[in-house]
Amino acid sequence: MILESDEQAGAFPDDLNPPNGQAVGLLPAADVQSSHEARTGGGVVRVYPDGLAFVDQLGAMRGYLSAGGLMALPLAIAMLIMGISNGWWLPLIMVVILLWLALLFIQVDWVGFGYEPVLLNRALGKVHVFKAMGLPWWQWGWKLWGRTRYEIDTYDWSCVRAEVVEFTIFTGQISRRESGLVFAITDVPGGRDVVQRFGVGPSFGYGDLQSPVQRWEHIRRFMRHEGAAWTPMDSLYEDWGVAFWPSFWVLQPLFDDRAVAWRRKGILAWMAGVGMLFFLPFTAYMGLVRYLSYRLKREPACSRDILASLAGPALTHEQLSALALADAKAKPGKASKRRPRRQRSH
């Protein structure tokens, strides 16, 4: 289902040591094609002339913890004042713990980095993994500002093997199956002993096992100079909490620009939109808290040496559109050159 042919599947080991308990399949090495289609699946957050930065899976979860923490904070403070004034020492300990947890939830979303990218460096043949180390334990729950520690782990591209994994996510009482792309780093090029594993980009839902393979194929071609960094099928990772008014009107179809097509469905859609206005205080609160988290968190940092090796700053939307257009124009030319050769062979 994943590999292109049985011959390719038999040319590589079918497991690594230690094996990945969530793996659906181990993809061929980087010098073998795994899919006819190559696309990033909306997981790229920055594109450089010689680099691709994929957002991490938890980047989309920013803002939810602080929303709960801010709601619990006034209640915890009121209970703390009441406990001190009445001398309720045993309940007071529980209130202090509740207050600390509320501040901790706020701290998680306000301090640190917006995401932790995996940066593919084609120029150096390296994979850089940004890892936030968090605050020291004595600053947990009270330090709501400042810098956090981080490190960047670097691995050789020649030691990368790709795996497709499948896992279950629980949201309340509902569970769903998702899939993702994982890099397994071996101790030596072509080896089987794994020293590290990490996900590359956000996951895919509804049992989609082909999109992780297509993401790997795009990465494989890019790193081997066999494909463009950007194609017409690609789109940058879109985070909905980056502007004020879209955050304010989130989940409000009468005002959310992303739901224009939905509003055209007719009178029932409009009635549902009017009904959603009843939840505006809640939806606006969630959206604005997430917007605040986006503004307070920092962009991941890279060393000057890494940035200098990428052959320039991150490309703008206009430059990406021009790059995709150039790739689209180049493909018909290649096809027209191959067609006469096929005709002569007959």
Side-chain angles (χ1 to χ4, degrees):
M1 176 180 60
I2 295 176
L3 303 181
E4 291 292 325
S5 67
D6 293 337
E7 293 180 358
Q8 291 178 5
F12 300 94
D14 57 359
D15 61 354
L16 295 172
N17 181 38
N20 190 338
Q22 295 178 317
V24 177
L26 174 66
L27 299 182
D31 58 348
V32 177
Q33 179 176 318
S34 293
S35 172
H36 293 298
E37 296 186 21
R39 62 184 68 187
T40 64
V44 171
V45 68
R46 294 285 185 273
V47 180
Y48 302 88
D50 269 326
L52 291 176
F54 281 84
V55 71
D56 64 303
Q57 176 71 12
L58 297 180
M61 300 301 295
R62 185 190 63 249
Y64 295 110
L65 288 177
S66 58
L70 287 172
M71 293 180 66
L73 189 60
L75 176 62
I77 294 176
M79 293 175 64
L80 180 64
I81 295 174
M82 186 180 299
I84 293 176
S85 60
N86 291 278
W88 299 337
W89 297 112
L90 183 60
L92 187 61
I93 296 175
M94 300 178 62
V95 173
V96 170
I97 295 175
L98 176 62
L99 178 62
W100 180 80
L101 288 175
L103 291 172
L104 182 63
F105 284 3
I106 296 172
Q107 182 187 70
V108 168
D109 280 340
W110 286 11
V111 180
F113 302 91
Y115 58 96
E116 299 178 27
V118 173
L119 175 61
L120 303 164
N121 190 327
R122 180 169 62 181
L124 299 180
K126 302 290 185 180
V127 179
H128 309 288
V129 182
F130 185 94
K131 187 190 306 180
M133 305 302 293
L135 294 167
W137 65 268
W138 62 86
Q139 294 180 353
W140 290 358
W142 65 268
K143 188 176 178 60
L144 304 181
W145 62 90
R147 297 177 177 271
T148 58
R149 301 167 299 167
Y150 69 92
E151 65 181 25
I152 299 177
D153 297 330
T154 299
Y155 305 98
D156 289 334
W157 168 251
S158 59
C159 294
V160 171
R161 293 300 307 273
E163 298 172 321
V164 175
V165 300
E166 192 174 22
F167 50 92
T168 302
I169 291 182
F170 295 92
T171 53
Q173 297 180 347
I174 302 175
S175 63
R176 66 180 185 273
R177 297 294 291 173
E178 297 202 352
S179 63
L181 175 65
V182 168
F183 277 5
I185 308 298
T186 59
D187 55 346
V188 294
R192 298 181 62 174
D193 293 331
V194 177
V195 297
Q196 185 61 274
R197 279 187 171 97
F198 50 86
V200 182
S203 61
F204 301 92
Y206 308 105
D208 181 5
L209 296 178
Q210 292 302 321
S211 292
V213 186
Q214 294 169 0
R215 176 176 290 170
W216 163 249
E217 182 62 21
H218 183 96
I219 292 172
R220 186 194 73 83
R221 296 180 188 181
F222 171 76
M223 292 296 287
R224 290 173 55 85
H225 297 268
E226 296 175 359
W230 210 241
T231 69
M233 296 183 297
D234 290 317
S235 60
L236 285 176
Y237 172 76
E238 294 291 343
D239 195 336
W240 58 266
V242 300
F244 180 83
W245 286 113
S247 300
F248 183 84
W249 295 117
V250 66
L251 299 179
Q252 293 294 329
L254 294 183
F255 301 95
D256 191 344
D257 292 336
R258 294 173 297 177
V260 173
W262 183 84
R263 296 198 301 267
R264 293 174 179 170
K265 293 182 178 180
I267 185 63
L268 293 179
W270 278 91
M271 292 175 63
V274 173
M276 281 297 298
L277 290 174
F278 177 80
F279 301 98
L280 178 61
F282 176 75
T283 58
Y285 168 75
M286 291 295 297
L288 292 178
V289 168
R290 200 168 190 277
Y291 170 79
L292 178 63
S293 175
Y294 175 81
R295 293 300 173 185
L296 291 176
K297 287 211 166 186
R298 301 161 52 212
E299 277 284 311
C302 283
S303 68
R304 292 183 179 179
D305 293 339
I306 293 178
L307 292 176
S309 67
L310 299 176
L315 302 179
T316 64
H317 281 276
E318 292 76 13
Q319 291 172 322
L320 289 176
S321 299
L323 195 63
L325 181 62
D327 179 71
K329 290 181 177 179
K331 287 180 178 178
K334 294 179 181 179
S336 62
K337 292 179 181 179
R338 288 196 299 266
R339 194 173 295 113
R341 289 198 295 267
R342 289 199 295 268
Q343 292 171 356
R344 288 196 296 268
S345 64
H346 291 294

